Amino acid sequence: MVRIQIERRGIKERRVRDAMLGVPRHLFVPAHLKERAYDDGALPIGEDQTISQPYIVAKMTELLALKGDERVLEVGTGSGYQAAVLARLVREVYTIEIVPSLALQAEERLKRMGYDNIRVRLGDGYRGWKEHAPFDAVIVTAAPDHIPTKLVEQLREGGRMVIPVGNVNQYLTLLVKEKDGVREEQVIPVRFVPMTGEAQAQE
């Protein structure tokens, strides 16, 4: 998976590749899909949610330019796979999931696997997790049609946010919070499930 799907598509950061190798993806998918866990694509995990394509997980992680001592916010825990990858690269991961059953399953799974630097919260991640801000990085795994202001506010100066943005046409977007504003770059076209909750009310 890593060599064929990730390295060949230009993921150069060795720490990211090692983290992907170190997380058993088959433990994060439903039992009937375990044989497809390492396929080159997203897979359903229930509740109309998915586990992202391995390449997209690697690409989003690499875009964060993580060094090792960061505090990261993830919006959209899903199965917990992206959080597990991040946990191998940073000091702390704070992850929010809006679907109760997925939040519970992910928390239990991550604890069982020994990830003690991940905190899972049930709730709407549209406004972030103010109590633990500022964050060095923010990663969003569901697509709103706009960039949530509160997530940008909770990003420290110099921090980076990766988020899919759009409805029909979505782009993976990188934001870098600089002293004089926020630099924004559209990276690649993507297809994510829509961000639910308050994000939809703000459309």
Side-chain angles (χ1 to χ4, degrees), residues 69-90:
D69 195 43
E70 292 89 354
R71 173 183 295 171
V72 178
L73 173 66
E74 179 192 30
V75 177
T77 313
S79 68
Y81 178 68
Q82 175 73 77
V85 171
L86 290 169
R88 299 180 71 90
L89 295 166
V90 302

Side-chain angles (χ1 to χ4, degrees), residues 1 15-25 28 54 57-58 61-62 66 80-90 93 110 115 117-118:
M1 178 188 80
R15 294 181 68 242
V16 173
R17 299 200 308 258
D18 288 347
M20 297 287 291
L21 282 168
V23 179
R25 184 175 166 90
F28 291 85
V57 173
T61 305
E62 186 176 61
L66 302 167
Y81 178 68
Q82 175 73 77
V85 171
L86 290 169
R88 299 180 71 90
L89 295 166
V90 302
V93 178
L110 293 165
Y115 289 100
N117 61 335
I118 300 175

